[in-house]
Amino acid sequence: MSIAISNIVKTFGGFTALKGVSLEVEAGELVALLGPSGCGKTTLLRIIAGLDAADSGTILFDGEDATRRHVGERQVGFVFQHYALFRHMTVFENIAFGLRVRPRAQRPAEKEIQRKVHDLLSLVQLDWLAQRYPAQLSGGQRQRIALARALAVEPKVLLLDEPFGALDAKVRKDLRRWLRRLHDELHVTSVFVTHDQEEALEVADRIVVLNQGQIEQIGTPDEVYDHPATPFVYQFLGDVNLFHGRVHEDQAHIGEAELKARGQLNAGASATIFYVRPHELEVLRRPDGSQAVRAWVRDVRRVGSVIRLQLERLDGHGTLEAEMPRERYEDEVHAVQKGEQVFVRPKNMRVFSEHHHGSGVKD
Amino acid sequence: MTALAHKKYSVIPGFSLAIGFTVLYLSLIVLIPLSATFLKSLSLGSEHFWEAVTSPRVLASYRLSFGASLLAAAINVVFGLLVAWVLVRYRFPGKRLVDALVDLPFALPTAVAGIALAAVYSRNGWIGHSLEAFGIKVAYTPLGVLVALTFIGLPFVVRTVQPILEDFDGELEEAAASLGASRLQTFLRVIFPSLWPALLTGFTLAFARAVGEYGSVIFIAGNRPMVSEITPLLIITKLEQYDYAGATAIAVSMLVISFTLLLVINGLQWWSHSRRSASASSGGHEPVVDKPGFARAHARPNPAAPIAERP
């Protein structure tokens, strides 16, 4: 089922949680609502589900107006961050709940319920837990049961509110890959909320980046990562170094360094902020013309297979963070140590004009 | 040092001191007076004892005392839940006042409550007068006893259910609604099972209080033998006649019946609890209700109170 959301506004007292959000979700898509806490992503999800009502705006399911439809009639499956399993019921009864509460005429026979619940249990790979109680399960198992319970009513839309937020890092990674595979099998239109950009980039077909009740950008993971529309999106999707400088005749001036800039930059010597990801910073042992910023190494951190360098600019314009694979650190940077001096050159940087139209600057 | 080394290490010290004090205290306050009652009643001899506790007038008083207490507790479960529900779920002007009002039956001297009830429900009282028109007599009938016992039992149910209801996870209701359950189904299948242990506790407390109640009942009951005479009153009557052995005999029989009933209710509670969470050691995020306790009934509805523990 496709979802068309237009101009949703929602206020809580004096606080405007959603400021006119419009969004289209195509049938069979897996969409991530990504944003920091308080950006309105959960509110939007709850409005789609019918758990909250919008102040204004409309929601169409397959072209039909569902704005005033009750949550029980929307045919949505909702998965909560904290699972919301019924703790006095066994896993089996939890999953069967949605079938048992149907009006008598539509209620499947007991045999049919048994079959269906067991099918769902094998789908989430937990058939051996049918007679357990939620309190006896691990977090990851509980979330899979919650998902099976939501799927039992054959929802047209699956909505997941930070489904992996309460799980530890390892389980979280396993589970989100599993969710992606499950979605590829079932093709049910799904929207999930997350504040974890890695999760969104890995799982979703499309990402909707929200900030302060507004959509910043909608796009595929590659689009939002490689072509962020706004400084917010750029900063939210990964670590970032900021360089204050000027653009003058296709040259980017950062402090004493001068970099050749390609692409369309606004002419004139306007002050600009250049955005550079830590892995796009080249660290050199020796000077390379005037095209580098000088810095000294404050700290060297090994995080698994990558090395993170904390650098302090010699011209006093703050700190930088550079990231590189271990091999490159050892071969090209000669395992530079704390206190040594290096030359830093952005390999790729991004400039956002006043109107937030991003453009790349390549060296 | 070697003696200490044999002791099992515990972070909380003073177990032996604590248990020693507990046993001593319970003995002084509860066990010794109770044993004295038993001993005193023994002086009657089995034949006289049996006669004393099974005379028709005494049997009628048992029926009234236990029957009315059970019924009053049951009524309080229904309406106490309703009051707690309204106090927790809705906002309305004067809510704090209503909340405070619930505690009134706790605080009021029982005799005052009794006189007030008798005045209101008697033939020329406000309510008694109106009910008289329908041919319903409350004061000086078993119905009056029921009214008094319901009055004094209400706070027990409200105050046990209220914190559980406050801690109830709203997401469970939303989950049920999203799965297509109606409001009634959500209440019966999701909310009620979580409340039921607390309701049972409230029922037990209200019942226990009602069985022992004296002051508020005697004014409204009329105390007609075989009709509206409660067992505690019979005990007083015997005492006034200097029949100490007879009084204690009835007291003992009452004690035994009460104890048995409470044991049954506790068993029910234990059974429902063990069924609910099986061998759940690590809980979810909902409150767990276990055994009844007086401290709980008096606890103000405070989410931080130890009533609802969040593991």
Side-chain angles (χ1 to χ4, degrees), chain B residues 3 30 42 47 65 89 107 127 137 142 194 261 268 281:
Chain B
V30 182
L42 284 183
E47 206 171 299
S65 261
R89 293 288 176 117
I127 303 177
K137 273 191 206 159
S194 309
L261 278 168
L268 210 65
S281 45

Side-chain angles (χ1 to χ4, degrees), chain A residues 187-305:
Chain A
H187 284 296
V188 57
T189 311
S190 308
V191 180
F192 79 101
V193 157
T194 180
H195 62 262
D196 181 348
Q197 81 281 5
E198 211 182 296
E199 194 170 292
L201 290 169
E202 188 174 334
V203 177
D205 292 325
R206 281 201 303 154
I207 297 177
V208 179
V209 186
L210 281 156
N211 183 34
Q212 297 184 342
Q214 278 169 321
I215 293 180
E216 294 269 335
Q217 189 175 6
I218 305 175
T220 64
D222 286 348
E223 278 166 15
V224 292
Y225 192 81
D226 293 335
H227 307 288
T230 66
F232 174 82
V233 175
Y234 193 93
Q235 297 192 39
F236 195 73
L237 286 178
D239 293 326
V240 61
N241 291 303
L242 302 182
F243 290 95
H244 292 265
R246 285 176 301 115
V247 177
H248 184 62
E249 287 175 358
D250 286 0
Q251 292 275 2
H253 297 265
I254 298 167
E256 59 200 68
E258 241 177 62
L259 298 163
K260 269 188 195 132
R262 262 185 258 152
Q264 319 111 314
L265 290 176
N266 294 345
S270 54
T272 315
I273 302 173
F274 301 94
Y275 293 78
V276 184
R277 297 240 183 258
H279 68 87
E280 293 171 338
L281 269 188
E282 199 170 6
V283 179
L284 304 163
R285 221 47 207 288
R286 280 171 232 300
D288 184 10
S290 64
Q291 301 193 343
V293 176
R294 299 197 317 173
W296 63 275
V297 181
R298 274 177 69 165
D299 203 5
V300 180
R301 296 247 163 238
R302 290 167 179 79
V303 186
S305 62

Side-chain angles (χ1 to χ4, degrees), chain B residues 225-259:
Chain B
M226 305 295 293
V227 179
S228 60
E229 194 174 44
I230 56 169
T231 315
L233 180 74
L234 263 183
I235 296 171
I236 300 276
T237 315
K238 295 254 184 217
L239 284 177
E240 278 169 352
Q241 294 160 354
Y242 302 107
D243 181 6
Y244 293 131
T248 48
I250 299 175
V252 163
S253 68
M254 210 176 167
L255 201 72
V256 170
I257 300 172
S258 293
F259 191 71

Side-chain angles (χ1 to χ4, degrees), chain A residues 46 51 70-72 76 78 80-89 97-98 100-102 133 135-136 142 149-150 153, chain B residues 171-172 174-181 185 189-190 193-194 275-280 282-288:
Chain A
R46 290 174 59 85
L51 293 172
H70 184 258
V71 51
V76 297
F78 201 96
F80 295 85
Q81 182 179 2
H82 296 289
Y83 331 119
L85 291 174
F86 307 128
R87 52 170 294 139
H88 60 280
M89 295 182 199
F97 184 87
R100 293 205 195 282
V101 296
R102 283 192 188 165
Y133 285 87
Q136 295 167 293
R142 287 184 208 181
R149 182 180 66 177
V153 293
Chain B
E171 280 188 355
L172 292 176
E174 292 178 345
S178 77
L179 292 167
Q185 282 171 325
R189 287 170 178 259
V190 177
S194 309
R275 204 180 58 116
R276 237 159 75 86
S277 49
S279 58
S282 64
H285 49 281
E286 296 141 80
V288 179

